[in-house]
Amino acid sequence: MPQIYNLSTVCNAVTGDCTFLGGMTVEKFVVEGEVQLCGQVTISGAKNATLPIMAATLLCSGVSVVHGVPNLRDIKVMQDILTLLGAKIVREGNTLIIDTTSINHMEVPEHLMREMRASVFLMGPLLGRFRKVRLSYPGGCTIGPRPINLHIKALEKIGTNIKESFGFIIAEAAELAGGEIHFDFPSVGATENAMMAAALAKGTTVIRNAAREPEIVDLQNFLNRMGAKISGAGTDTIRIDGVPKLTATEHTVIPDRIEAGTYLVAGAMTRGDVVVDNILPEFLFSVTDKLQEIGVQIEIGRRYIRVKPGDLRGVDIKTLPHPGFPTDLQAPILSLLTIAKGTSIITETIFENRFKHVDELTRMGAKIKVEGRTAIIRGVPKLTGAIVAAPDLRAGAALVIAALAAEGISEIEHIYHIDRGYDGLERKLQALGARIVRQNCD
Ligand code: EPU
């Protein structure tokens, strides 16, 4: 009998049996490799910009309209959470119409908190608007323990009283007052949570050592359209002059730089000729620089980047907060380096446990040794197809990329991880010539 513990174990690792969970079919990708990708791919809106923006709609009563929303499982989970809180949401193509007039809950259900760590973003907006929120601890996840101490510290600095008991966090503020927040580490989520709560605080809040990711700039733009007074996003100091009230607005999210980077690496690994379109290339300079160092030919336009084949050689990479090399592209580029000539070293500095794809790549013939936060990769001429399982979202994408270049057929299981963050992955890859199909596990 298949065992069901939670979403990540719906397929029995020993027997290979899979089952249905909550009406969701358990699926896998079957990929026939050694096809050079060729053509143009259009990038969707950014998941990690959309999620905090959806949460930010809670800051006021009214109807917000968000365009460019990707079709992803994480977005659906956030929709479900907002709906449970009392929002009315309609999706029309890539547009979400979110009516937050009747929000009547200040508590996020535990099972949804567990399903998506990004639900921690609800703390800031609910506190800002209602001065009270109760949620369960998001807990760890497969890429590392992911604590929320920085979120809590930031919210306390602006007048929130936070109690933790029996796995629940109860945050209350009689009045939110501006304050000085200094992060020990530039956490993306904590920066966003602090911005959202402080937008409705009395007085000025300054966030130092703030995260500088482009998604934070997009959130600033959204909040300012709502009437907030925020400046400095994109630098390490963000200033928020609190306002008494925000109003619903309309916004288009920025393109997904991680999705874009994934297709660039897929093009490079299959020695293809791929134009990645509808992007903001300046957000990907750390990635295009590395690809060039690896030997990939790169052409950068105003809204696109093109990759063309070159002789691949090993490089060293260290993941860092933006504008450094993004941790979310570490797994995909590691796949590429498995077939680059010579030795490469990747150091993962952001998350503790982000080399879970290494065992799976080893099944495909890669030569990789992991020591703590460092992976040492000795390039091989080619990978070979195998049955592998996606351990998390980006690692799953990395396995698909490896399979596209490998000799023979690969099967990638547990693709519900990939569906969390890649809109129409197989459709977009098929349009580039890939032989990839989605099948039910049987
Ligand atoms: N951290 C703490 N305490 C905190 C918050 C974070 O110690 O209170 C640590 C984390 O454990 C981690 C590091 O700081 O080691 C970075 O965490 P950060 O808060 O910056 O990340 P996040 O907000 O949880 C977002 C993205 C991630 C992306 C990271 C880093 C969203 C929804 N998620 O996560 O995206 O990897 O920033 O850039 O924006 C993904 O899309 O696959 C993904 C995991």
Side-chain angles (χ1 to χ4, degrees), residues 199-230:
L200 285 175
K202 250 193 180 155
T204 298
T205 300
V206 178
I207 307 175
R208 298 189 202 283
N209 200 22
R212 295 190 276 163
E213 271 64 6
E215 293 73 23
I216 290 169
V217 181
D218 208 29
L219 179 63
Q220 169 179 284
N221 291 341
F222 179 75
L223 292 169
N224 284 347
R225 275 171 198 244
M226 292 177 92
K229 290 206 167 74
I230 308 179

Side-chain angles (χ1 to χ4, degrees), residues 23 115 129 152 172 182 197 211 253 261 314 392 404 412 427 432:
E115 183 150 345
R129 179 159 160 202
I152 290 177
E172 284 175 287
H182 184 106
V253 294
D392 65 57
L404 292 169
I412 296 120
R427 175 178 44 81
L432 294 173

